[in-house]
Amino acid sequence: MARTRAPERTLLPGDEPLSLLRKDGSPVDDSPLAMPDDDVLVELHRRMVVGRRFDTQATALTKQGRLAVYPSSRGQEACEVGSVLALRPDDWLFPTYRDSVALVTRGVDPAETLTLLQGGWHLGYDPYEHRVGPQCTPLATNTLHAVGFAHAARLKGEDTAALVMLGDGATSEGDTHEALNFAGVWKAPVVFLVQNNGYAISVPMSKQSAAPSLAHKGIGYGVPSVLVDGNDVAAVYAVVREALVSGGPTLVEALTYRIEAHTNADDATRYRTSDEVAAWLDRDPVDRLEAYLTSRGLLDNERRAAVAAEAEDFAASVRAKMNADVVPSPDELFEHVYATTPAHLREQAAVLREELA
Ligand SMILES: Cc1ncc(C[n+]2csc(CCOP(=O)(O)OP(=O)(O)O)c2C)c(N)n1
């Protein structure tokens, strides 16, 4: 049987992350990426500002006991918003617990997005409405969902790609490797967006991988891989859009940072310094795009105020929806888990009903 080899060199990411905007918002002269159109840049800005406000509102809701837990994506808005706006209407998103801003950007109702984190229901939204899979809490299971979905779409002759979000820590899970392997074999139209925010809770990257970069991990599976500045929303948008329309798999490693702790239940000061956080605040994705838009005359004080007001209104609507008391039915705990409820669960449901009666 003939043996063939993949052209390894072409699959390798570059040494430096791809970017379009420097830290101060000035454009990179010799970027191989195409700058998104002005209207896209303006929309990326609006969505990042609204997304950030949603994120701080959700964090505040944990303090009021309205949410059980919230994993903030503050600082990661360029990944959350840039990749989601790159999706075409028929593409699907497979997010994690960290990616609520991505869901809201895709159009999922914010209260429905937060239902899981509130503890109100297993899944608060209809995945088919906006083509968003369930937010996965088990690390990396969504990579398998995305590859299976993308492969099935291909078999059905549909022009649909899948975008799966995962963290640096999730790349250490077996599921990621199985997913990458079959994405490569099947040439499935799937984009793995690794948001490398430096830590898996308190475990730093240096303890996760000995590879030169996480993007290098695609090569062994025949998956072209790209390294991008994850705080540069224009670059994230450009790279993800190109990957989604490529018709095959791509691994995108986006270098970014989560400014807040892992969740509201975590104390990040125990494993990272304030200097490190300050250095990343200096690379803020929203400030960076604002500087560029302002220099191009695409953003002025009036527009900035209008976007800020929209974000405030959005946060107020989230508060209003989340301040309504939920009265979940304990019975529902057993519903929609199995097509046919197994005997032991029927028994447990009966015991619960008896106790509550
Ligand atoms: C299969 C599995 N193992 C362990 C955990 C516990 N856990 C929750 S979050 C987390 C760290 C994840 O880090 P990373 O993938 O980098 O994503 P981030 O939270 O930084 O976005 C771990 C180990 C889990 N949720 N699922």
Side-chain angles (χ1 to χ4, degrees), residues 97-98 137-139 166-170 173 197 199-201 258 262:
Y97 52 81
R98 173 122 10 245
T137 303
L139 300 178
L166 63 156
D168 40 285
E173 292 283 344
N197 64 14
Y199 294 89
I201 313 184
R258 79 168 142 72
H262 174 72

Side-chain angles (χ1 to χ4, degrees), residues 135-216:
Q135 271 183 294
C136 271
T137 303
L139 300 178
T141 53
N142 55 337
T143 58
L144 297 169
H145 303 165
V147 173
F149 173 87
H151 183 51
R154 162 72 57 74
L155 293 178
K156 287 192 272 183
E158 293 168 358
D159 181 21
T160 308
L163 169 68
V164 55
M165 293 176 144
L166 63 156
D168 40 285
T171 64
S172 303
E173 292 283 344
D175 281 2
T176 303
H177 298 270
E178 293 173 22
L180 278 168
N181 187 51
F182 282 101
V185 171
W186 291 328
K187 307 250 177 297
V190 56
V191 180
F192 296 81
L193 178 69
V194 180
Q195 295 187 63
N196 180 354
N197 64 14
Y199 294 89
I201 313 184
S202 57
V203 178
M205 257 307 292
S206 56
K207 293 194 178 174
Q208 287 285 342
S209 174
S213 77
L214 294 176
H216 278 76

Side-chain angles (χ1 to χ4, degrees), residues 108-125:
V108 180
D109 181 282
E112 292 184 2
T113 299
L114 295 174
T115 305
L116 170 80
L117 298 163
Q118 177 191 45
W121 187 236
H122 307 299
L123 177 66
Y125 54 93

Side-chain angles (χ1 to χ4, degrees), residues 315-337:
S317 75
V318 174
R319 279 197 301 278
K321 284 179 180 167
M322 298 306 291
N323 280 340
D325 283 324
V326 207
V327 192
S329 158
D331 260 349
E332 290 180 349
L333 195 63
F334 299 92
E335 284 174 18
H336 311 298
V337 181

Side-chain angles (χ1 to χ4, degrees), residues 86-355:
L87 287 166
R88 299 162 301 173
D90 284 350
D91 293 337
W92 272 71
L93 171 67
F94 292 87
T96 75
Y97 52 81
R98 173 122 10 245
D99 304 317
S100 298
V101 168
L103 266 74
V104 170
T105 306
R106 186 71 170 154
V108 180
D109 181 282
E112 292 184 2
T113 299
L114 295 174
T115 305
L116 170 80
L117 298 163
Q118 177 191 45
W121 187 236
H122 307 299
L123 177 66
Y125 54 93
D126 173 0
Y128 292 95
E129 195 183 340
H130 295 285
R131 299 186 162 236
V132 178
Q135 271 183 294
C136 271
T137 303
L139 300 178
T141 53
N142 55 337
T143 58
L144 297 169
H145 303 165
V147 173
F149 173 87
H151 183 51
R154 162 72 57 74
L155 293 178
K156 287 192 272 183
E158 293 168 358
D159 181 21
T160 308
L163 169 68
V164 55
M165 293 176 144
L166 63 156
D168 40 285
T171 64
S172 303
E173 292 283 344
D175 281 2
T176 303
H177 298 270
E178 293 173 22
L180 278 168
N181 187 51
F182 282 101
V185 171
W186 291 328
K187 307 250 177 297
V190 56
V191 180
F192 296 81
L193 178 69
V194 180
Q195 295 187 63
N196 180 354
N197 64 14
Y199 294 89
I201 313 184
S202 57
V203 178
M205 257 307 292
S206 56
K207 293 194 178 174
Q208 287 285 342
S209 174
S213 77
L214 294 176
H216 278 76
K217 296 201 173 203
I219 186 171
Y221 301 108
V223 173
S225 303
V226 183
L227 185 62
V228 67
D229 184 332
N231 281 26
D232 177 350
V233 73
V236 172
Y237 176 90
V239 161
V240 173
R241 173 50 72 93
E242 203 177 307
L244 286 166
V245 300
S246 73
T250 309
L251 190 164
V252 177
E253 178 186 1
L255 294 174
T256 186
Y257 195 78
R258 79 168 142 72
I259 296 299
E260 300 294 339
H262 174 72
T263 67
N264 52 302
D266 169 46
D267 176 6
T269 61
R270 295 180 61 185
Y271 55 87
R272 58 186 205 185
T273 64
S274 50
D275 281 355
E276 184 180 295
V277 180
W280 279 94
L281 280 170
D282 193 39
R283 303 172 60 89
D284 186 87
V286 181
D287 291 351
R288 190 183 306 196
L289 183 60
E290 287 201 352
Y292 178 68
L293 292 179
T294 306
S295 75
R296 293 271 327 280
L298 296 167
L299 184 68
D300 56 14
N301 286 342
E302 202 181 319
R303 163 97 195 145
R304 202 187 303 254
V307 172
E310 183 191 341
E312 274 317 312
D313 286 351
F314 192 73
S317 75
V318 174
R319 279 197 301 278
K321 284 179 180 167
M322 298 306 291
N323 280 340
D325 283 324
V326 207
V327 192
S329 158
D331 260 349
E332 290 180 349
L333 195 63
F334 299 92
E335 284 174 18
H336 311 298
V337 181
Y338 292 95
T340 311
T341 309
H344 71 282
L345 285 188
R346 281 205 305 274
E347 223 170 87
Q348 285 179 25
V351 171
L352 181 68
R353 265 197 302 273
E354 212 170 285
E355 278 180 9

